[in-house]
Amino acid sequence: YQRRVHGENETLAPPLLSAMAKTLRTESGEILKFKSPAEFFADNKNIAGFDNPGKSLYTTVREFVENSLDATEAIGVLPEISIKIEEIQKSSFNSLIGLKNRERVNISLYEQAETAKERKAREVREEKERVRLEKLAATGAEDPQAGKKPVGAPGKSRKDTTYYRITVQDNGGGMPYDAIPDMLGRVLAGTKYGVRQTRGKFGLGAKMALIWSKMSTGLPIDIRSAQQRQDFVSVYKLDIDIHHNCPNVIA
């Protein structure tokens, strides 16, 4: 590294890079931090339409369908797209991630567990309810809440997480075997840049769905692809390294 000072070249020490090239220290000692494109979209999922689980499911299906439409349009055939959305039970999901399902011996012990904060809140509710009933009894009025669940009564406040497996199949032109990892596992890498796009956001396609899958389940995606006049089917199990923005081929 050189800079010109008073007409002469002055040699400078190169910037200090971290082992992962994630930070850079300038000559003045300031630290510049870097994010990979995958990290940026993982931190700003809402930009790509992954605001919440419900919308993420819709966006995932939409992105895969748009990929299928692009693939069939590229070879000039009418699209034949099959979409399958399966709800995965918690026990099945646990087996996929290598966890064993164990049943609690005495479930009543967990149902009756109450923290000090919950007990205090319950006592406040019960006292308010006692005062309300005493006033009704004194006036002889009917209880308008008879048969209804008291407001603020304890109950199941958190729903069990639901998992889905999405499978999309089309009659498009397929992808070259060697290019599949980069086409689906590297953000801002694709064949459509420089071409006016009519579908999708940022050319992310299935890549954002892969990032979402990794962040929400930790599971990879399965890919099967074949091209015309190709006597084999390309099969991949693919993950993505978010910090380095590169594909991780598992199988």
Side-chain angles (χ1 to χ4, degrees):
Y1 292 85
Q2 292 185 338
R3 67 178 178 182
R4 196 160 185 84
V5 180
H6 302 301
E8 296 182 0
N9 291 332
E10 180 182 350
T11 302
L12 300 175
L16 178 62
L17 294 175
S18 71
M20 293 172 52
K22 302 292 291 182
T23 61
L24 181 147
R25 188 179 298 276
T26 64
E27 182 184 358
S28 61
E30 296 178 322
I31 296 178
L32 299 178
K33 294 185 178 181
F34 299 86
K35 275 188 178 182
S36 74
E39 275 185 302
F40 174 80
F41 283 106
D43 292 341
N44 300 276
K45 297 182 292 294
N46 59 304
I47 296 178
F50 287 77
D51 304 57
N52 54 64
K55 190 173 180 181
S56 297
L57 177 62
Y58 159 77
T59 305
T60 297
V61 174
R62 188 198 67 194
E63 291 287 1
F64 279 124
V65 170
E66 288 176 348
N67 277 9
S68 297
L69 293 174
D70 288 339
T72 54
E73 187 177 58
I75 60 174
V77 300
L78 292 176
E80 296 179 8
I81 304 173
S82 170
I83 306 168
K84 186 178 181 180
I85 302 177
E86 305 171 81
E87 182 176 344
I88 306 299
Q89 299 297 327
K90 186 65 178 292
S91 57
S92 300
F93 175 76
N94 286 343
S95 65
L96 288 174
I97 61 177
L99 292 180
K100 293 183 179 180
N101 296 303
R102 301 186 183 277
E103 296 183 0
R104 290 174 172 172
V105 177
N106 189 348
I107 193 66
S108 62
L109 294 176
Y110 300 92
E111 292 176 345
Q112 296 174 3
E114 186 180 49
T115 65
K117 184 177 180 180
E118 291 172 338
R119 182 175 65 255
K120 184 176 181 180
R122 175 179 56 78
E123 291 173 350
V124 170
R125 287 195 304 270
E126 291 174 351
E127 178 62 21
K128 288 182 179 179
E129 181 68 7
R130 185 187 64 78
V131 172
R132 187 183 71 83
L133 293 176
E134 287 180 354
K135 290 181 179 179
L136 289 174
T139 58
E142 293 184 359
D143 186 359
Q145 296 185 15
K148 296 182 180 180
K149 181 181 178 180
V151 178
K156 190 175 181 180
S157 59
R158 181 178 297 179
K159 294 183 179 180
D160 292 335
T161 303
T162 305
Y163 299 93
Y164 294 92
R165 178 190 288 120
I166 302 169
T167 306
V168 179
Q169 183 177 354
D170 62 60
N171 59 329
M175 296 175 286
Y177 174 79
D178 293 334
I180 289 177
D182 283 326
M183 293 179 73
L184 295 178
R186 191 185 302 274
V187 176
L188 300 184
T191 60
K192 298 298 181 66
Y193 294 109
V195 180
R196 182 178 179 182
Q197 291 182 257
T198 57
R199 304 184 184 98
K201 291 185 177 182
F202 311 108
L204 289 175
K207 301 164 192 174
M208 192 63 214
L210 177 54
I211 291 176
W212 172 255
S213 174
K214 180 178 179 66
M215 296 180 67
S216 58
T217 68
L219 295 173
I221 62 173
D222 295 300
I223 305 157
R224 296 175 61 88
S225 180
Q227 293 186 294
Q228 294 178 341
R229 297 181 296 277
Q230 180 175 291
D231 59 356
F232 64 92
V233 176
S234 302
V235 180
Y236 277 98
K237 188 179 288 290
L238 191 66
D239 197 355
I240 183 171
D241 186 332
I242 294 177
H243 297 292
H244 292 85
N245 187 34
C246 63
N248 179 21
V249 179
I250 297 174

